[in-house]
Amino acid sequence: MQSNDTVKFKNSLSRTKWEILEMLTPIVQNFNLRIFDYMTQAIFLTGMTGIASVGIIFAIPYLYSNYSDNVILCLRLFGFFIVFQLTVNWLCIKYVDTSYKPSRDGIIPDGISIGQKICHTVNNNHNDSTMRSRKDATSLNMEVNDSQDSFMYVATKVPRTHTEPPERTQYPYFSWAPCLQCNRPRPPRCHHCPICDKCVMKRDHHCYFTGVCIGGRNLRHFTVFVFWALMGALFASVHCLPFYYYDILPYTSYFDLIFPIAITRAIFGYIDWIYACCIVLGWLLLLFLLIANTYLKIIVAGISTGKTSFEMDFDIYITDTRGKKDKLMSVFGPHWKLNFFFPLHFIYEPVDDTVRWPTIKA
């Protein structure tokens, strides 16, 4: 069990992160985040293609030249398998629709009004196999009071000028709330993404590497994507270090490890462009390794608690009464392990009720 001081310290760090984002918001108001989306996707695709090409085509045969052809073939096949998993799940994240569609996901139930807190009690015997999941994280305006009730401030009135902020109204976090942009109510844990311009079910965050939001329907693909990204980064790192030491370092210097220096020296002809590109790819590999490791930890914590990263950051009081197996099914559907080998979205869909949330206590 964590001490109260540790929990308070972690909550303080989470709130500080969102306060920094609030301070940076005015700076990026005039910046088109869609452009940043495209830039980040281009960096990822370039990095993945470059790292895979150098590793599979050049590094593995060079480092295992004293081994049999079967060893080299197996390592190359494993590298191609990782690239396949990353590519397929990247595409699934982008094109599996996780937006809120009333015709598919359901409308506000009878007897429930907008702004009414739901899920006071839990039906532990609920076994509806036609359910799905969602969540929302558009607003940084959150409150958690002493009675463990969480509130969010939702934009409910369009400002008269571009300089005025929208009028916001307080709603319980776990309630149906109006969406000003979509002009319709949205379920609990569903929020409007200003970049995607749509309400996203069980919204976790906006992923710039794919250019879409991570929500209830594509979280499974994001989880598999991050898992294989970490495995691929570790696999590439094991071969990157000796390959650099034996094949690149003799033609460069230790200062060239700093990629701006390597690029500058390549421009002036002091080192070959091939070596400068390999050094840049090495830095991208380190970046991918750190990001994948961080996000995999967050995803595992979220699935095990039944929360989204937004809810964990703000310490929103939500309890998922399901066991570990049911929580995994809510994300991956039945036979969750098979998702790590081949996408099963159209065979086994996630199991969650995005309207009633019968297993959530809030």
Side-chain angles (χ1 to χ4, degrees):
M1 295 291 292
Q2 294 180 331
S3 65
N4 290 334
D5 291 338
T6 303
V7 173
K8 289 180 180 179
F9 177 71
K10 288 186 175 180
N11 292 340
S12 172
L13 285 179
S14 297
R15 294 179 184 278
T16 302
K17 179 181 74 173
W18 290 103
E19 288 170 2
I20 293 173
L21 287 175
E22 283 186 308
M23 290 182 356
L24 292 176
T25 298
I27 300 175
V28 299
Q29 275 181 340
N30 297 322
F31 181 74
N32 191 334
L33 291 179
R34 265 300 174 191
I35 296 176
F36 184 68
D37 250 359
Y38 297 138
M39 290 171 55
T40 310
Q41 292 176 69
I43 290 173
F44 165 72
L45 292 174
T46 302
M48 183 184 71
T49 303
I51 293 168
S53 300
V54 172
I56 296 173
I57 298 174
F58 300 107
I60 289 178
Y62 177 82
L63 295 173
Y64 294 90
S65 57
N66 294 328
Y67 291 79
S68 67
D69 292 340
N70 290 333
V71 173
I72 296 175
L73 177 63
C74 289
L75 290 170
R76 280 181 154 180
L77 288 176
F78 183 65
F80 279 120
F81 176 75
I82 292 176
V83 173
F84 168 79
Q85 289 291 338
L86 291 176
T87 304
V88 170
N89 283 284
W90 185 83
L91 291 172
C92 287
I93 293 171
K94 283 186 70 70
Y95 297 110
V96 170
D97 184 18
T98 192
S99 63
Y100 170 56
K101 294 185 180 300
S103 59
R104 180 193 64 196
D105 305 307
I107 60 174
I108 185 169
D110 294 336
I112 299 294
S113 59
I114 294 178
Q116 176 185 345
K117 181 182 175 182
I118 62 174
C119 295
H120 289 286
T121 59
V122 181
N123 178 10
N124 291 320
N125 297 321
H126 186 87
N127 289 313
D128 188 354
S129 61
T130 62
M131 308 190 286
R132 297 183 197 121
S133 153
R134 2 163 269 77
K135 170 222 159 245
D136 174 0
T138 28
S139 174
L140 302 182
N141 300 281
M142 292 293 305
E143 285 186 1
V144 181
N145 62 25
D146 294 334
S147 63
Q148 292 183 317
D149 286 334
S150 302
F151 298 93
M152 58 184 173
Y153 290 88
V154 179
T156 53
K157 186 176 181 180
V158 179
R160 288 174 293 182
T161 64
H162 293 293
T163 57
E164 291 182 9
E167 182 180 308
R168 295 180 180 272
T169 304
Q170 177 180 283
Y171 287 88
Y173 177 74
F174 218 90
S175 68
W176 283 76
C179 177
L180 190 63
Q181 293 91 332
C182 296
N183 194 28
R184 66 189 179 197
R186 63 192 188 201
R189 310 177 89 189
C190 173
H191 294 258
H192 191 94
C193 174
I195 304 174
C196 298
D197 195 24
K198 61 179 70 174
C199 285
V200 179
M201 301 189 305
K202 197 182 178 183
R203 184 178 185 272
D204 193 272
H205 68 283
H206 184 87
C207 176
Y208 289 99
F209 283 104
T210 57
V212 297
C213 280
I214 306 303
R217 290 172 60 81
N218 63 0
L219 177 61
R220 68 196 304 175
H221 303 297
F222 183 72
T223 305
V224 177
F225 172 81
V226 171
F227 172 80
W228 284 112
L230 179 59
M231 294 299 102
L234 291 172
F235 181 71
S237 299
V238 169
H239 297 91
C240 171
L241 296 176
F243 182 70
Y244 176 83
Y245 182 80
Y246 288 113
D247 198 58
I248 297 178
L249 187 59
Y251 306 99
T252 59
S253 67
Y254 286 108
F255 289 106
D256 293 327
L257 279 174
I258 305 173
F259 71 88
I261 295 178
I263 293 174
T264 303
R265 281 167 53 83
I267 292 174
F268 289 99
Y270 290 103
I271 63 173
D272 196 296
W273 270 105
I274 294 294
Y275 302 132
C277 290
C278 288
I279 291 170
V280 172
L281 290 175
W283 280 97
L284 285 177
L285 175 61
L286 177 61
L287 176 65
F288 294 160
L289 179 64
L290 294 175
I291 293 176
N293 181 62
T294 300
Y295 268 101
L296 189 60
K297 290 180 180 178
I298 294 173
I299 292 169
V300 170
I303 294 176
S304 62
T305 58
K307 289 186 175 184
T308 62
S309 61
F310 179 77
E311 292 162 348
M312 290 189 292
D313 281 342
F314 280 97
D315 196 26
I316 296 173
Y317 179 71
I318 287 179
T319 302
D320 192 331
T321 59
R322 291 172 292 193
K324 185 180 296 184
K325 182 179 179 181
D326 290 332
K327 288 177 182 176
L328 287 170
M329 286 180 60
S330 72
V331 175
F332 296 101
H335 311 293
W336 65 272
K337 295 179 183 178
L338 296 179
N339 288 269
F340 289 85
F341 299 96
F342 195 82
L344 298 175
H345 178 81
F346 298 104
I347 302 175
Y348 302 116
E349 292 210 10
V351 179
D352 253 332
D353 188 337
T354 61
V355 173
R356 298 173 181 83
W357 295 105
T359 61
I360 298 295
K361 182 178 179 181

